[in-house]
Amino acid sequence: MQYKAYGVQDVQTKAPMKVDTIARIYSMTKPVTGAAMMMLYEEGKWKPSDPIAKHIPEFANLKVHTGADGNGASILASPAHAPTMGELMSHTAGFTYGLFGSTPVDKLYTAAAPLQAPSLKTFIDRMATLPLLYQPGTRWVYSVAVDIQGYLVEKLSGKTFPEFLRTRIFEPLGMTDTAFFVPQDKLPRVATIYSWNQANGALAPMPRDPQITSEPGLPSGGGGLYGTAADYFRFAQMLLNGGQLDGRRLLKTSTVDMMRTNILSDAVLASNSGIGQARFSPAQGFGYDVAVVLDPAGAQRQVGKGSYWWWGLAGTWFWIDPTNDIVFVGIIQRQGGAPGAVNHEDVSRRVVSDALTNPKR
């Protein structure tokens, strides 16, 4: 297999983008965490119908925010049913992020700062004090659910979360540059992340994480990984192959099929839930840590039926198209963009679709 890289990894120095350039992949971490969870599912460590509290007793008394009293304090009620592991895997358990919303519960998340906790256990302890945003199973809300899954991987496996990913996924797949930190000797390969400056209409480099060379105390299953496009391609190819790559099987084909099967109810699909391009409807649903295209035309996505995908904050994205036997991985390091700017993910789908339907052009 041959690879080529295009562009630069730093605008100021003009350092070229290379095949082994390392990028922060943000929420493309989520499907990796999902795959780790599915390995533990195969080992009988959990079932989708299990209450989350079966595995995280700290969550035994979670309440649902139903409104506010005259003093602005949350009015809490018991959930109609205890949130389940299947709901946790599909952002329908009742959690939120505290980053993308302004509800009273989001504000409680901001004050408690669970994702700023020094460890996964402290993160769980903080989460146990926060109410659910909605009744489990009734909505899809982007959330810290996959960070909770990272804690579960640690607890159910008996290994630290980074160690599990390293020994069970990264090493078997040859993902040599993927981790929650970047060793000192690899720093020259790290791409600069840019943000769009609305004031002057230009890209501005963002400060590099000062802790980039250290294993984080809270390894984020929802968005903490660094890696390369080539590494992620191997992960995605493993999924397309039904759970194996180069003779190494990580998951059963039936387990990968579970991941990429929509589990959202008709009511949730009709609720206009979602975020960004991940809007859910009868045309697009959600499985376990990936969005699933049910009707490409209705979803306005130029991919085969049954494709599944996700993306990350700084312009990283991927999709897997079993119908056309295609994996696509895109890596950009830019948060935001000029109003009306081209969406490179949209362009990539159109270009690939055109190549499939008009191969001689």
Side-chain angles (χ1 to χ4, degrees):
M1 186 176 296
Q2 294 183 339
Y3 299 99
K4 291 183 178 179
Y6 301 87
V8 297
Q9 70 178 40
D10 186 280
V11 173
Q12 280 69 39
T13 67
K14 306 299 182 185
M17 184 73 78
K18 297 181 179 179
V19 171
D20 66 352
T21 292
I22 297 171
R24 178 76 181 269
I25 65 171
Y26 287 100
S27 286
M28 277 170 61
T29 304
K30 288 180 168 70
V32 177
T33 304
M37 285 291 292
M38 298 313 290
M39 289 178 168
L40 295 167
Y41 163 79
E42 288 188 353
E43 294 173 7
K45 299 294 179 63
W46 65 274
K47 300 193 299 288
S49 59
D50 288 344
I52 303 171
K54 176 179 178 179
H55 307 288
I56 306 179
E58 294 89 338
F59 287 2
N61 296 307
L62 292 177
K63 302 298 183 183
V64 180
H65 172 89
T66 61
D69 62 20
N71 297 316
S74 287
I75 299 172
L76 303 178
S78 296
H81 70 260
T84 68
M85 294 289 285
E87 290 166 340
L88 182 73
M89 297 288 291
S90 57
H91 292 290
T92 59
F95 302 106
T96 184
Y97 239 131
L99 301 173
F100 305 108
S102 58
T103 68
V105 177
D106 283 298
K107 292 175 181 177
L108 291 173
Y109 273 60
T110 300
L115 289 175
Q116 304 304 313
S119 68
L120 282 168
K121 179 59 172 68
T122 305
F123 160 72
I124 291 296
D125 290 341
R126 292 183 187 182
M127 287 300 306
T129 70
L130 297 169
L132 300 174
L133 176 63
Y134 56 92
Q135 285 288 349
T138 63
R139 294 171 59 187
W140 187 100
V141 175
Y142 203 34
S143 71
V144 299
V146 193
D147 294 285
I148 295 171
Q149 291 173 41
Y151 171 77
L152 281 165
V153 170
E154 195 161 280
K155 183 172 182 183
L156 296 176
S157 72
K159 294 184 176 183
T160 67
F161 181 38
E163 178 72 1
F164 186 95
L165 294 188
R166 183 178 67 81
T167 59
R168 298 289 300 275
I169 297 178
F170 302 152
E171 288 181 351
L173 292 179
M175 297 171 66
T176 57
D177 290 316
T178 302
F180 288 107
F181 70 101
V182 180
Q184 188 75 36
D185 64 323
K186 294 184 179 182
L187 286 181
R189 292 200 272 133
V190 175
T192 301
I193 302 174
Y194 292 85
S195 63
W196 183 257
N197 188 321
Q198 298 288 355
N200 61 15
L203 289 174
M206 297 178 63
R208 179 174 286 178
D209 178 3
Q211 305 301 318
I212 188 173
T213 57
S214 303
E215 188 87 71
L218 194 162
S220 171
L225 286 175
Y226 291 87
T228 65
D231 273 8
Y232 207 89
F233 183 90
R234 293 185 65 78
F235 170 73
Q237 185 70 57
M238 176 273 293
L239 293 177
L240 177 63
N241 293 351
Q244 64 86 27
L245 183 70
D246 296 340
R248 302 290 297 270
R249 179 162 292 281
L250 276 67
L251 292 165
K252 297 176 182 177
T253 299
S254 58
T255 304
V256 176
D257 289 344
M258 283 181 65
M259 286 185 71
R260 65 185 187 91
T261 297
N262 169 62
I263 63 167
L264 301 186
S265 69
D266 290 344
V268 174
L269 290 177
S271 67
N272 194 35
S273 297
I275 184 170
Q277 292 194 35
R279 305 304 306 185
F280 300 107
S281 71
Q284 181 162 251
F286 201 82
Y288 289 160
D289 292 331
V290 289
V292 182
V293 179
L294 306 174
D295 173 6
Q300 298 182 339
R301 301 186 76 85
Q302 300 86 353
V303 293
K305 183 177 180 179
S307 294
Y308 49 113
W309 65 277
W310 204 243
W311 82 123
L313 179 65
T316 61
W317 74 95
F318 83 102
W319 79 80
I320 299 171
D321 183 343
T323 299
N324 293 300
D325 195 28
I326 287 174
V327 166
F328 191 101
V329 178
I331 298 286
I332 295 173
Q333 294 287 267
R334 184 194 69 202
Q335 294 187 17
V342 171
N343 183 308
H344 292 83
E345 181 185 352
D346 288 342
V347 171
S348 67
R349 289 197 309 275
R350 290 198 299 269
V351 168
V352 171
S353 177
D354 186 59
L356 290 173
T357 55
N358 300 287
K360 295 182 180 180
R361 287 178 59 176

